Amino acid sequence: LFISLLFILSFNIAFAKPPKVLVFSKTTFYYHESIPNGIAAIQLLGRQMHFDVDTTTDASKFTDANLKQYAAIIFVSTSDTSGALLNDAQQTALMHFIESNKGYVGIHAAADAEYQWPWYNKLVGAYFKSHPKQQEAELHVTDSSFVATKMLPDSWKHFDEWYNYKQTNWNDVHVLLTVDEKSYTGGENGDYHPVCWYHNYDGGRSFYL
């Protein structure tokens, strides 16, 4: 995540003071117990790497005037099946933010949100479909030259909650990691199952993990 933040913050943006990110963790459906730990980790990284971190579950913060102070917005497991995560005006503010050469980071259930909004599907890169029980699986690096993966082994095992995805846009993104479905049970995306990627989108940048 730290490396992904550096990627998002480092492209074509000059700052007179430390850059600032907004961590957004509103949920309208399932609440992941890992959310507070994720927020704390980002705050710690901010202190270590000299960027400021604001946190909110309040979608009313999504206005053009407020968002312009941030370099990136980080959606931390924003699970939402009702379409109530952002209203129309807030969606428009997020679009304007990305169009202004800013960054988006989506973590885990950020893909489990805004199912009625095609623009968001393309921003994230895919929608959540399902997941089996948490278990160990083998990951493979598909690009070892990228800043977020160059320190990683070609493959390794990791315990996690492995999402299956639908409405995927993987031909439009640069995939960094795949999970090997032969190494665990319950995978539904087949021989090619990305779990981390990035891309340029609509004037800005997006990174999903």
Side-chain angles (χ1 to χ4, degrees), residues 45-199:
L45 291 170
R47 292 191 295 272
Q48 292 174 338
M49 306 309 301
H50 310 295
F51 61 90
D52 295 331
V53 180
D54 288 345
T55 67
T56 190
T57 59
D58 182 3
S60 70
K61 302 293 186 181
F62 282 66
T63 66
D64 289 343
N66 186 55
L67 294 185
K68 67 181 181 180
Q69 65 182 302
Y70 299 107
I73 299 174
I74 307 171
F75 279 45
V76 179
S77 288
T78 49
S79 185
D80 163 53
T81 60
S82 64
L85 193 68
L86 301 174
N87 65 27
D88 289 349
Q90 293 155 3
Q91 289 179 352
T92 298
L94 178 59
M95 293 173 65
H96 289 166
F97 178 81
I98 295 299
E99 291 167 356
S100 67
N101 193 27
K102 298 296 183 69
Y104 166 91
V105 175
I107 299 173
H108 198 51
D112 183 29
E114 296 289 358
Y115 288 97
Q116 296 80 27
W117 188 17
W119 184 91
Y120 185 80
N121 171 248
K122 290 185 177 296
L123 174 70
V124 177
Y127 279 139
F128 165 78
K129 178 184 177 184
S130 62
H131 68 78
K133 67 178 182 179
Q134 296 178 9
Q135 59 195 292
E136 186 178 77
E138 186 170 5
L139 292 164
H140 298 288
V141 175
T142 58
D143 181 359
S144 60
S145 65
F146 185 67
V147 63
T149 52
K150 65 182 181 180
M151 79 297 293
L152 298 173
D154 291 340
S155 63
W156 80 101
K157 292 183 179 180
H158 182 66
F159 184 92
D160 214 320
E161 185 173 80
W162 304 108
Y163 275 9
N164 299 309
Y165 297 97
K166 62 183 180 180
Q167 291 178 245
T168 59
N169 298 278
W170 291 332
N171 289 333
D172 299 324
V173 303
H174 189 93
V175 174
L176 297 171
L177 299 174
T178 61
V179 63
D180 186 348
E181 291 194 359
K182 296 187 292 294
S183 68
Y184 73 105
T185 59
E188 298 180 1
N189 286 117
D191 292 337
Y192 187 64
H193 187 154
V195 292
C196 179
W197 55 80
Y198 74 91
H199 64 136

